[in-house]
Amino acid sequence: MSEVSIDNEPLVRFLNKLQPLSPAIIDFALKETFRITVKKNSLIDSVQENSKECVFFIIKGLVRGFILDEGKDITTWLTQENGLIGTIRNPGNTAPTYFEHLQAIEDSNLLVLPYSFIDKLYVQFPESNILGRKLLAIHYHMSQERSILSRIPSAEARYKQFKDNHPTIKFRIPLKYLASYLGMRIETLSRIRRRAKLNS
Amino acid sequence: MSEVSIDNEPLVRFLNKLQPLSPAIIDFALKETFRITVKKNSLIDSVQENSKECVFFIIKGLVRGFILDEGKDITTWLTQENGLIGTIRNPGNTAPTYFEHLQAIEDSNLLVLPYSFIDKLYVQFPESNILGRKLLAIHYHMSQERSILSRIPSAEARYKQFKDNHPTIKFRIPLKYLASYLGMRIETLSRIRRRAKLNS
């Protein structure tokens, strides 16, 4: 395996920034992970069985997480290129109240990291626990931002914070998904956007 | 140091369930952590300088995290006995948009874990990275629950989910803090509670 092909792997580049990876870990990861493509609007589940047993690295595209609350679809998570999305296992005992579904909202290329691979990684390469710890801290912060975002009383301030944190994807997300993510009605989001355009 | 005193440490009991701790780690933790008491309504900052450089384990009491958004106080985090609260460092580059303050809402006893101690722990006892990884996954899930909770459209359903997840603290939290945590007005929360009482 040539240096160039390793360096081309977007996941390896992403992880190397957090924690330098040994060639043995990179080899192992290239062997045990694989790519899938998911068409726009498809559920990840329809392409990858047992998607709850995996984490996905987005090579290209945009994926949302959503829950169904009494039939209502609420977007709870949005991840674009070079981000991870998927079920994060809970070592505590509390079962999550809601199941989060994953859906591509653009044609997407994903790298699949099965938990079976991640578990082997932690055992065979103990230093990968440092990487796991750092990744989970990053996920914590993204979740924390989502959690704080939704508690800001002003709809306008929520949209502004989202725009500031995600400058490149705000026009790639269908209005109905973004509105539920921001906890506002579609009409409110449209009005805020029109006003923002007039003022820019 | 006797077995009994080690076993009495609530933090050690809490961590041991996640990952068995070696006697050397326990000794080190007992040396490098310390207790503080914080009066009801006091900011943790007023007792512990540089509180951003620490994590707190709650031995007794109740602590909230809150942000100030244009002068408005919004409760974003609630933790009771046997839970951890505090700034979680972000290995990614994005600075948090809001600073989270910590305030005791009952007379509280806290164990202070300075990050200087945590950093030494990770270096001197590499296996503690496993523990760190598991703790961060638990924190991720608590944050995720907070994030999903606030996106549930019905105020009644938000209160119900909170009650189910926190059966023991719902009457220990002043109404104004709980209302902002649940993203509703105080009057709405009072009405929901009165109705819940009538139906029980």
Side-chain angles (χ1 to χ4, degrees):
Chain A
M1 194 160 297
S2 75
E3 276 294 318
V4 175
S5 85
I6 288 172
D7 198 42
N8 272 345
E9 284 296 320
L11 177 67
V12 170
R13 271 205 308 274
F14 171 78
L15 296 180
N16 249 328
K17 272 190 224 158
L18 284 178
Q19 182 79 5
L21 301 177
S22 70
I25 289 186
I26 294 173
D27 268 5
F28 187 62
L30 291 176
K31 246 178 254 156
E32 302 250 338
T33 61
F34 53 92
R35 292 179 184 221
I36 57 173
T37 61
V38 187
K39 284 259 170 244
K40 180 176 172 170
N41 295 329
S42 294
L43 292 175
I44 308 286
D45 247 345
S46 69
V47 178
Q48 176 61 33
E49 266 185 34
N50 300 327
S51 69
K52 273 189 288 186
E53 310 289 319
C54 308
V55 172
F56 303 91
F57 180 79
I58 302 178
I59 298 167
K60 187 185 145 288
L62 189 55
V63 175
R64 73 175 184 120
F66 68 96
I67 58 165
L68 293 172
D69 179 57
E70 298 179 355
K72 206 179 141 64
D73 172 324
I74 305 169
T75 298
T76 48
W77 192 341
L78 290 161
T79 301
Q80 61 182 321
E81 288 84 6
N82 296 312
L84 287 159
I85 194 166
T87 304
I88 291 183
R89 293 176 302 180
N90 192 351
N93 289 325
T94 43
T97 317
Y98 289 93
F99 175 67
E100 225 168 11
H101 304 269
L102 299 178
Q103 181 184 33
I105 55 182
E106 292 177 356
D107 290 343
S108 299
N109 293 330
L110 311 179
L111 194 69
V112 184
L113 290 79
Y115 268 113
S116 59
F117 153 67
I118 293 170
D119 284 335
K120 279 188 267 178
L121 200 64
Y122 286 144
V123 172
Q124 290 181 33
F125 304 93
E127 70 271 28
S128 60
N129 283 289
I130 302 173
L131 190 63
R133 170 168 67 74
K134 290 183 180 175
L135 278 173
L136 281 163
I138 291 176
H139 276 280
Y140 168 82
H141 278 276
M142 293 192 304
S143 171
Q144 187 69 350
E145 283 290 316
R146 295 195 289 272
S147 162
I148 289 179
L149 174 71
S150 58
R151 287 185 171 78
I152 299 173
S154 139
E156 210 132 13
R158 291 202 294 284
Y159 181 65
K160 189 185 172 308
Q161 194 194 328
F162 176 79
K163 252 187 12 183
D164 292 349
N165 288 348
H166 305 274
T168 59
I169 59 170
K170 59 183 192 288
F171 292 117
R172 289 164 59 185
I173 306 161
L175 221 52
K176 60 182 172 182
Y177 299 149
L178 187 54
S180 77
Y181 182 77
L182 295 175
M184 57 182 78
R185 291 179 312 130
I186 294 178
E187 298 74 34
T188 310
L189 179 57
S190 299
R191 200 177 51 239
I192 290 174
R193 278 204 163 163
R194 270 200 308 276
R195 209 177 298 154
K197 218 184 268 175
L198 285 175
N199 293 338
S200 67
Chain B
M1 195 159 295
S2 75
E3 276 295 318
V4 176
S5 85
I6 286 171
D7 199 44
N8 272 344
E9 284 296 322
L11 176 68
V12 171
R13 272 205 307 273
F14 171 79
L15 296 180
N16 248 328
K17 272 190 225 160
L18 285 177
Q19 182 78 4
L21 301 178
S22 71
I25 288 186
I26 294 174
D27 268 5
F28 187 62
L30 291 176
K31 247 178 255 154
E32 301 250 338
T33 63
F34 52 93
R35 293 179 183 218
I36 57 171
T37 61
V38 188
K39 285 261 168 243
K40 179 175 172 172
N41 294 328
S42 294
L43 293 174
I44 309 285
D45 246 346
S46 69
V47 179
Q48 177 60 34
E49 266 185 34
N50 300 326
S51 69
K52 273 189 288 186
E53 309 290 319
C54 308
V55 173
F56 302 91
F57 179 78
I58 301 178
I59 298 168
K60 185 185 146 287
L62 188 55
V63 175
R64 74 175 183 119
F66 68 96
I67 58 165
L68 293 173
D69 179 58
E70 299 179 355
K72 208 179 139 63
D73 172 324
I74 306 168
T75 298
T76 48
W77 192 342
L78 289 161
T79 301
Q80 61 181 323
E81 287 84 6
N82 295 313
L84 287 160
I85 194 166
T87 305
I88 292 182
R89 293 175 301 181
N90 192 349
N93 289 325
T94 43
T97 317
Y98 289 94
F99 174 66
E100 224 168 11
H101 304 270
L102 299 177
Q103 180 184 33
I105 56 181
E106 292 178 356
D107 288 344
S108 300
N109 293 330
L110 311 178
L111 195 69
V112 183
L113 290 78
Y115 269 114
S116 58
F117 153 68
I118 294 171
D119 285 336
K120 279 187 267 177
L121 201 64
Y122 287 144
V123 172
Q124 291 181 31
F125 305 94
E127 70 272 28
S128 60
N129 283 289
I130 302 174
L131 190 64
R133 169 169 68 73
K134 290 184 182 175
L135 278 174
L136 282 163
I138 291 176
H139 276 280
Y140 168 82
H141 278 276
M142 294 192 303
S143 171
Q144 187 68 352
E145 284 291 316
R146 294 195 289 272
S147 161
I148 289 179
L149 174 71
S150 58
R151 288 185 171 77
I152 300 172
S154 140
E156 211 131 11
R158 290 201 295 283
Y159 181 66
K160 191 186 170 310
Q161 194 196 327
F162 177 78
K163 252 185 14 183
D164 293 349
N165 287 348
H166 305 274
T168 60
I169 58 168
K170 60 182 191 292
F171 292 119
R172 290 165 59 187
I173 305 161
L175 220 54
K176 61 182 172 183
Y177 299 149
L178 187 55
S180 78
Y181 182 76
L182 295 175
M184 57 183 78
R185 289 180 313 130
I186 294 178
E187 299 74 35
T188 311
L189 179 57
S190 298
R191 199 175 53 239
I192 290 173
R193 278 203 163 165
R194 271 199 308 275
R195 209 177 298 154
K197 219 185 269 175
L198 285 174
N199 294 338
S200 68

